[in-house]
Amino acid sequence: MSDVVHAAKRLLLGRPVRSDRLGHTLLPKRIALPVFASDALSSVAYAPDEILLTLAIAGLGATVISPWVGLAVVVVLVVVVASYRQNVHAYPSGGGDYEVATVNLGPKAGLSVASALLVDYVLTVAVSISSGAQYASSAIPALRGHEAEFAIGLVLILALANLRGVKESGTAFAIPTYLFMFALGSLAVVGAIRALTGTLPMAETAALEVLPEAGFEQGLVGLAGAFLVLRAFASGSAALTGVEAISNGVPAFRKPKSKNAATTLLLLGTLSTTFIMSILLLARATHVHYVEFPASQLLRDGVPVGEDYVQNPVIVQLARTVFAGITPVIVLIAVVTGVILVLAANTAFNGFPVLGSILARDGYLPRQLHTRGDRLAYSNGIVALAGGAIVLIWAFDAQVTRLIQLYIVGVFVSFTLSQLGMVKHWNLLLRTEPDGRGRDRMKRARIVNAVGLGLTGTVLIVVLITKFTRGAWIAVLAMGVVFLVMRGIRAHYDAVRDELALGPEPATARALPSRVHAIVLISRLHKPAMRAIAYARASRPSVLEAVTVSVDPEDVVELRKQWEALDMPVALKVLDSPFREITRPVVGYVKSIRRESPRDLVVVYVPEYVVGHWWEHLLHNQSALRLKSRLLFTPGVVVASVPWQLESSIARSNPQAWSAP
Amino acid sequence: MSDVVHAAKRLLLGRPVRSDRLGHTLLPKRIALPVFASDALSSVAYAPDEILLTLAIAGLGATVISPWVGLAVVVVLVVVVASYRQNVHAYPSGGGDYEVATVNLGPKAGLSVASALLVDYVLTVAVSISSGAQYASSAIPALRGHEAEFAIGLVLILALANLRGVKESGTAFAIPTYLFMFALGSLAVVGAIRALTGTLPMAETAALEVLPEAGFEQGLVGLAGAFLVLRAFASGSAALTGVEAISNGVPAFRKPKSKNAATTLLLLGTLSTTFIMSILLLARATHVHYVEFPASQLLRDGVPVGEDYVQNPVIVQLARTVFAGITPVIVLIAVVTGVILVLAANTAFNGFPVLGSILARDGYLPRQLHTRGDRLAYSNGIVALAGGAIVLIWAFDAQVTRLIQLYIVGVFVSFTLSQLGMVKHWNLLLRTEPDGRGRDRMKRARIVNAVGLGLTGTVLIVVLITKFTRGAWIAVLAMGVVFLVMRGIRAHYDAVRDELALGPEPATARALPSRVHAIVLISRLHKPAMRAIAYARASRPSVLEAVTVSVDPEDVVELRKQWEALDMPVALKVLDSPFREITRPVVGYVKSIRRESPRDLVVVYVPEYVVGHWWEHLLHNQSALRLKSRLLFTPGVVVASVPWQLESSIARSNPQAWSAP
């Protein structure tokens, strides 16, 4: 790493953190709630919109039933929160659904959950950030048409914030999350009071007409109508994501970890339920209309409103209605909602690297994901997550309605398998638990988890049926690919471990080579060559020879002359090179030594320049590099690099200095 | 390299060739003429066109003087050929203009010539191939609008052919070149006979009118007219490129090399002169019209012919006139001209890598350009040339008239400096030559080179004046950049050589380290670790210890247990790692050993997995790699890689087998 990169890294990421300071980054509840619950909370910024938008396909009348669809979502939410409170108590180590499924249902189920969650974390970032960009562009006209670029910029900023570490981001994100709760709470309370006192005005879109799609001229009737209601429910279920983030993040809580996590879950459920229902009820009361394609679907006096019409998100429309005339409040609500959506993506930035690190520990992902980066956050996972989200945002042009079709599949796969695992978990415990009170508690917990299993399984089926052809297949395919790749990596690591394991008689592995045959590779007689010869002599091998490859006969004659003039203490052997190559003759010679004395160890000393600039690599060491990598393929060979530090490399090694004690 | 890549390389490039078979690829005259002269010969396919096109800017009447412009080009050609016959006799080693300028005028002049030639070789490929694509698209309507893609495809095919080696390409290219000579000779002879017998018809474009550019309504008058004639002459001078290719390529000729090269030069001059003059005279006799933008510049009955009009190249127009009605002959002439243009680029593929290799030998280019590839051709140079030409073709959309503005500058820089060098060469020789006959011969030669110097210098100035703002500045800039880069590379190599050179007392460089302190890096106790310990013990160091880094305390406890259970003969040292890194603690420990005993040599044994597939690299060795590269920055350290060949690597090492004796 050059000095510039090093300095930039320090500037952007801060100083590295010691392992023993890990405890300091644990989160108290008041910080954990905004960090882990912002995902689920922020989804009220788009989940109600998606319910209204889907129902609007059947025209104006259909949206009247939106509170009932919302209620169905809330019922599922309550059940899931109740189930997960069992999970965090039973499995406080933070493997979350992955651990529950692995322990109770086996590694395949665990790996399925992990694949589903990894894909869904990426989608969480993509959906939240895209929705945030939508809010921003409804407020700032200059952003219109550039939502995708704006969203990608936001992902990059978030990734950097998280590379700096979880503690700092937790504190920075708490204030806007609490502001959001306060803003949405005020909207609900003031809206309810104005409705009760009969002073609630109509929304700005109340006067518009909605053009139903072909086939829905009669409204929500028949099978198609029922299917549309299910689709609206499936889209609204996006409000449930984020619950699993808390159960995966238990280790980041302060002690008592499980209790604190369970309390945070309860808080989250209460807040989400309140917000979703109040938004949908207020939207019905003020006749808010919200559609996917406003230009053609919304009619004013029987005529489409056209491309110039700007459709505000539902929360913004409600704020402009409830707080009509009080511009600062309206702006505040719009701004905090936009900000909370961006911060919601942060949930995934907390959860994804933790899960990736656990998977790397279990051998399902490359080992370097388990090693921590300079900062305590797991840098590699953060980078992978940001990369995936950017690809999705770019591919779907930051359109929430299109991204939401891919969403939730993973979360509900995880919910369902995890609840199945919990039911099995209680069954197992009940077999051995003699205490009556304990048994009763377990039986109650089992009922909660069984209800959760039934409900989440049903929602999973609904989601798959209503969304599969509209984009969910992409998510399913991605999970399949991730599953197969992770299984392949694990199989590879297992095979290598078996190959390398010491046999029943490890003493045989200790047999020493009988003699050491050392070779020093020489191209010219300069300081690096002299050093390599001196070092090789210092190790006192049984045989020591200098070897050069004759590419140009004149050079060899010159080298021999110098050799004699300096009265070198080592014999020089010249290898013929009919193909003008360096590598092949050397490898051939080493192999011939091994053939003649198979119990000898051959040590090849390679003088090497250490350079300070990347471009110097283009000018030096090219043949040494190729030679070294080829020699490693030959059994019974040790390749010893004898470095010569060029002056340009001295500066390069200085950044090292600050780590010295 | 994987097996597939290896097999593909064999298939495309053929088997490698031994050094001692180098003599077999030398060229007899009958093959050397098409290989080296095709560039200069083929330029008759576009040089006359450019003369006519430039003069046509002043309208119909101006093109009447085209034979006179052609005659001026021919005069320069004759003088240059005469001069270069002196060069090939005086400098038969093939450094060509670079060698002549370096020896007589110093390294800066030599490097200037080299930069100019390198840039012009790239342009030769770009111009010839683009013109060839023009011929092809005039014959095959489907290619129209896709000339650039077609041209890039041709460059790639040529590069592959040359990577296979010069001998095979020489034989393959001889037949079309001779066919081309025969075709153009027939065109000239039959055309002349028909003109003399009064049976020569008018060309198909004779009936069209040419719209003069604004300012040239009066034809070729005043300063603007004179300037236009000079521009036409400068564009026509493209016919002179290729002469220097022969003088650079002398070593590729059969013995007597110089005589054969001089004879080939004479042949080339005669043929070029004949073709250029006969084409321009026939064009005037048959009233061929040729313009840059036919759609708007050509009028039929006072109306522009429009976008649908297809303008045939001059040679094609002449063939259709002289051989009117005999379609097979017309098609043959068009096809061989197109083919010869593609093959002409081959001249550059012969000259460029030779020059690059000479420059690499002199330290002006990275050393690996001097090492030969699998085949005798210098693969790296061929790849660089093809890359440069593709960029130019792509940037200028394969338009010959635009590319020709960049062309020739380099060749005439080289001509001029080389002739100046030759004049100085004769001056030097004359100072010491006592023999009268010898002196007379040298004086004659000096006159030839002096005339050459005067004429080529004048042409260079004309070319720079008429073309600088039209594109020649790009070529000049490129030459400047190439010059500076090459000088920088040489300065770097010089600095490194001085740094590494043995001092006046080389014995001090022989002082042996007092003791060897060996360290074996251990992460787990498996076969590779056992092998590394055994190899380290076999080298009997003064101190030997196993070192592990404590990233995860549990792992260390486990390792210690295993260590004791196996009763390992080496002590295990555990390094603390507060930042969860591997590299830093190890480097710090090695430095502390060096601090305590500065005269000790520290040998670090690193067990390493050798894998067979690229993706396995992502799963293994990442920390070993980083550690090794950091350790090399520490003075007094030898890094010994102890490879463990995984089963997957066995297949990978097999392609090696065929090289075994």
Side-chain angles (χ1 to χ4, degrees), chain B residues 579-594:
Chain B
F579 296 95
R580 279 144 292 129
E581 273 193 313
I582 308 272
T583 308
R584 224 176 282 271
V586 173
V587 172
Y589 180 60
V590 167
K591 281 188 175 167
S592 75
I593 295 174
R594 290 277 305 167

Side-chain angles (χ1 to χ4, degrees), chain A residues 17 19 368 492-493 499-500 510 527 566 578 580 616 618-620 630 632 639 641 645 647 652, chain B residues 17 19 368 492-493 499-500 510 527 566 578 580 616 618-620 630 632 639 641 645 647 652:
Chain A
V17 179
S19 274
Q368 54 266 43
H492 175 79
Y493 278 133
E499 197 181 329
L500 301 185
R510 279 191 227 180
K527 287 177 185 165
L566 287 173
R580 278 144 293 127
E616 288 179 290
L618 300 177
L619 302 177
H620 299 291
R630 288 305 316 177
L632 293 177
V639 180
S641 303
Q645 292 82 15
E647 274 160 23
R652 164 87 159 69
Chain B
V17 177
S19 273
Q368 54 268 42
H492 175 78
Y493 278 134
E499 197 180 329
L500 301 185
R510 279 188 226 178
K527 285 178 186 165
L566 287 173
R580 279 144 292 129
E616 287 179 290
L618 300 177
L619 303 176
H620 299 291
R630 289 304 316 174
L632 292 179
V639 180
S641 303
Q645 291 81 17
E647 275 161 22
R652 164 88 158 68

